[in-house]
């Protein structure tokens, strides 16, 4: 009985210690909605993989830039890269509350990053876990 209680206590302690601020409050992925502005029939590709037409919602890793391509017959391909930014507030909270272990977990899982909605007006932050990416395809006059 004593071993079982010790096992539960150790498991719960590891669960708390091996999480960090970024993982708990943002995760290593976010939900992104990509919108082809005024082009509902434009094919949307992310990292070369077709995701859908007009508007797409999917989960994307936080630690990678989002490479979007829009394609529509009779128009040139529109490419846009949405860069990531470091989550400074998350970094400070992770170091203060979870120390180096929390920092390592955030960096290792990618939870220390977010889409750069501050420097890119095409990115709208809906919440810590949801972002909208508007891609202007106005050069397609079709």
């Amino acid at each position: 009985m004593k071993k079982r209680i010790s096992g539960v206590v150790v498991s719960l302690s590891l669960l708390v210690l091996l999480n960090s601020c970024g993982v708990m409050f943002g995760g290593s992925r976010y939900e992104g909605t990509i919108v082809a502005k005024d082009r509902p029939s434009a094919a949307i590709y992310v990292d070369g993989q077709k995701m859908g037409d007009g508007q797409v919602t999917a989960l994307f890793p936080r630690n990678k830039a989002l490479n979007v391509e829009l394609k529509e017959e009779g128009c040139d391909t529109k490419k846009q890269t949405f860069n990531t930014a470091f989550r400074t507030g998350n970094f400070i909270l992770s170091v203060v509350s979870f120390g180096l272990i929390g920092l390592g977990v955030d960096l290792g899982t990618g939870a220390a990053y977010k889409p750069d909605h501050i420097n890119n007006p095409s990115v709208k932050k809906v919440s810590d876990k949801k972002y909208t990416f508007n891609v202007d395809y106005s050069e397609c006059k079709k």
Side-chain angles (χ1 to χ4, degrees), residues 36-108:
K37 188 175 177 190
D38 300 325
R39 306 306 299 182
S41 61
I44 299 173
Y45 292 80
V46 176
D47 294 328
Q49 180 181 2
K50 184 171 182 182
M51 303 296 287
D53 296 326
Q55 180 173 323
V56 173
T57 299
L59 291 176
F60 301 105
R62 287 185 175 273
N63 60 348
K64 271 181 60 179
L66 190 63
N67 298 304
V68 176
E69 290 181 50
L70 298 184
K71 296 179 183 180
E72 193 168 336
E73 193 174 316
C75 296
D76 291 335
T77 299
K78 166 76 176 205
K79 295 181 181 181
Q80 188 164 354
T81 299
F82 297 98
N83 293 314
T84 60
F86 195 71
R87 295 172 69 193
T88 308
N90 168 70
F91 172 78
I92 293 167
L93 286 173
S94 287
V95 170
V96 168
S97 58
F98 297 98
L100 292 177
I101 292 174
L103 179 61
V105 170
D106 279 358
L107 291 173

Side-chain angles (χ1 to χ4, degrees), residues 2-142:
K2 205 173 199 180
K3 285 185 181 183
R4 182 177 285 172
I5 292 173
S6 296
V8 170
V9 169
V10 168
S11 296
L12 289 174
S13 297
L14 286 175
L15 180 67
V16 170
L17 290 175
L18 294 179
N19 273 318
S20 62
C21 188
V23 172
M24 289 189 300
F25 296 110
S28 60
R29 296 178 165 262
Y30 62 87
E31 182 182 298
T33 300
I34 302 167
V35 179
K37 188 175 177 190
D38 300 325
R39 306 306 299 182
S41 61
I44 299 173
Y45 292 80
V46 176
D47 294 328
Q49 180 181 2
K50 184 171 182 182
M51 303 296 287
D53 296 326
Q55 180 173 323
V56 173
T57 299
L59 291 176
F60 301 105
R62 287 185 175 273
N63 60 348
K64 271 181 60 179
L66 190 63
N67 298 304
V68 176
E69 290 181 50
L70 298 184
K71 296 179 183 180
E72 193 168 336
E73 193 174 316
C75 296
D76 291 335
T77 299
K78 166 76 176 205
K79 295 181 181 181
Q80 188 164 354
T81 299
F82 297 98
N83 293 314
T84 60
F86 195 71
R87 295 172 69 193
T88 308
N90 168 70
F91 172 78
I92 293 167
L93 286 173
S94 287
V95 170
V96 168
S97 58
F98 297 98
L100 292 177
I101 292 174
L103 179 61
V105 170
D106 279 358
L107 291 173
T109 62
Y113 301 94
K114 64 181 177 183
D116 190 4
H117 66 282
I118 304 284
N119 296 313
N120 189 342
S122 298
V123 181
K124 181 182 176 203
K125 179 181 178 180
V126 178
S127 71
D128 283 338
K129 296 182 180 185
K130 292 184 180 184
Y131 294 85
T132 301
F133 302 88
N134 293 299
V135 183
D136 183 13
Y137 201 24
S138 60
E139 57 267 8
C140 181
K141 302 292 184 197
K142 187 178 156 195

